[in-house]
Amino acid sequence: MIGRAALGCMVLALALAACGEKSQTTSSVVKKFDVPGWKGGNADYNAPGWVASDQAAWEAQLRARAQAQNDYAAPK
C-alpha cells in the first residue's frame, strides 16, 4: 500500500515537472545578427590591450589566451 502511494507521488511529481518547462525559442527582439569577433562588441567586456575593429590585435589576444591555458607551455 505504501509502495503504491510512493509510486503515485513520483508519477505526479514527474507530470508536474514536465508541465513547468519554459519555451526555449528566441524572439526576434533579442536576436542579434552574426558579425566577426574582431569587429567588437560590448566595450565593458574587452580585454586590456585589445583594440576594437583591429583583426591582428584580436588574433593576438586569442593566441595569448590560448597560450595561458596550455598545460605544456614553459612557465614564465
Side-chain angles (χ1 to χ4, degrees):
M1 188 70 143
I2 293 175
R4 281 189 166 185
L7 180 63
C9 286
M10 285 191 286
V11 169
L12 181 63
L14 286 174
L16 289 175
C19 293
E21 186 172 346
K22 296 178 183 177
S23 176
Q24 297 180 3
T25 58
T26 59
S27 65
S28 61
V29 176
V30 179
K31 187 174 182 180
K32 294 182 179 180
F33 295 103
D34 203 17
V35 296
W38 56 270
K39 288 266 185 180
N42 190 346
D44 295 335
Y45 303 110
N46 290 348
W50 183 73
V51 181
S53 298
D54 184 5
Q55 186 175 4
W58 179 74
E59 290 173 353
Q61 282 291 329
L62 284 180
R63 277 192 300 275
R65 186 174 3 165
Q67 192 63 24
Q69 296 176 1
N70 185 358
D71 290 337
Y72 299 106
K76 293 182 179 181

